[in-house]
Amino acid sequence: MDGMEIVRISERAWCADFAAEVAGAESRRSRPVDLAHAARSLGYSDAVPTKTGVTVFSDSPPDWEQILAMAAASPAESTAHRVEVHYDGPDLSEAAERLGLSVAELVRSHTAQSYECVAVGFQPGFAYLGDLPDMIGRLPRRASPRAHVPSGTVAIAGRQTAIYPGDSPGGWWLIGRTTWPVRDAETRIGHIAVGDTVQFSEISDPEARHPND
């Protein structure tokens, strides 16, 4: 199919990648999750969206034309989340300095747009959000990861940003913290799903009660 590369990656898994087709296009934001939703709606055993495509699990080759048509006709539902952040992270000043920015400029850039969840992994509820604006999306992971990053920490690395849903090690740049419940305390299921969007906003009180979405 034009603009789409299809690769069989196992006996029951086919990966469709359309990075070339959607590069710079507005449809890039929702196409992977729409395709996964469409494939599952059509009865395929499972489908997993990626940043630039989707992997479909099936006993026979998927009907990509049918999946594309279903995705266009019935896109996946998504949720827009608003997350308030107190920007006082231990890496905030150093990150700004390495980027050649003031702390205020880094914060303004981080809160200037919403971010799409392109994947969930690393730990339950850890949502990879992208893409960061060019002016702050240039930091590699820290050379020495921390052994402990507190739950609710907001961080950046490369072209992505994230909220740590639970205490864990981590090698991203820690720029702030939030009281927003990233995942359910009992089920450990994250509240941010692939295809959802997150808009960060700055607050001065780190203990402020977070409003509902």
Side-chain angles (χ1 to χ4, degrees):
M1 297 176 65
D2 292 342
M4 179 181 288
E5 181 182 5
I6 300 172
V7 178
R8 186 172 186 172
I9 58 177
S10 75
E11 290 186 358
R12 297 190 64 255
W14 283 261
C15 179
D17 187 282
F18 44 87
E21 177 189 3
V22 298
E26 186 64 25
S27 61
R28 177 178 182 275
R29 294 185 58 81
S30 59
R31 180 71 67 83
V33 70
D34 291 343
L35 283 172
H37 173 72
R40 289 191 290 265
S41 298
L42 290 168
Y44 292 97
S45 60
D46 197 10
V48 179
T50 68
K51 188 174 183 180
T52 59
V54 63
T55 297
V56 175
F57 296 86
S58 173
D59 292 327
S60 58
D63 185 336
W64 294 107
E65 292 282 3
Q66 186 182 34
I67 293 173
L68 285 167
M70 175 66 79
S74 182
E77 295 183 1
S78 62
T79 301
H81 305 278
R82 185 168 63 90
V83 177
E84 293 180 337
V85 179
H86 181 58
Y87 288 90
D88 66 343
D91 297 328
L92 182 62
S93 295
E94 183 181 355
E97 182 178 356
R98 285 173 176 262
L99 291 166
L101 304 171
S102 67
V103 166
E105 288 173 327
L106 191 160
V107 172
R108 280 198 299 270
S109 184
H110 192 251
T111 58
Q113 66 179 49
S114 62
Y115 303 93
E116 183 189 10
C117 175
V118 297
V120 177
F122 170 54
Q123 60 170 299
F126 189 99
Y128 292 84
L129 309 170
D131 287 335
L132 286 171
D134 290 342
M135 66 186 303
I136 62 172
R138 297 179 279 112
L139 287 177
R141 290 169 57 90
R142 292 181 57 89
S144 300
R146 286 182 170 82
H148 177 260
V149 176
S151 172
T153 298
V154 178
I156 59 175
R159 297 305 304 270
Q160 296 180 320
T161 185
I163 310 167
Y164 282 79
D167 296 356
S168 73
W172 292 30
W173 296 84
L174 314 183
I175 63 172
R177 50 190 165 131
T178 182
T179 59
W180 191 77
V182 185
R183 68 186 181 196
D184 184 272
E186 294 184 1
T187 66
R188 292 168 59 86
I189 296 175
H191 295 302
I192 305 173
V194 173
D196 285 359
T197 59
V198 175
Q199 174 73 58
F200 295 105
S201 60
E202 182 181 14
I203 57 170
S204 57
D205 180 2
E207 305 304 325
R209 184 179 179 85
H210 201 284
N212 294 329
D213 284 348

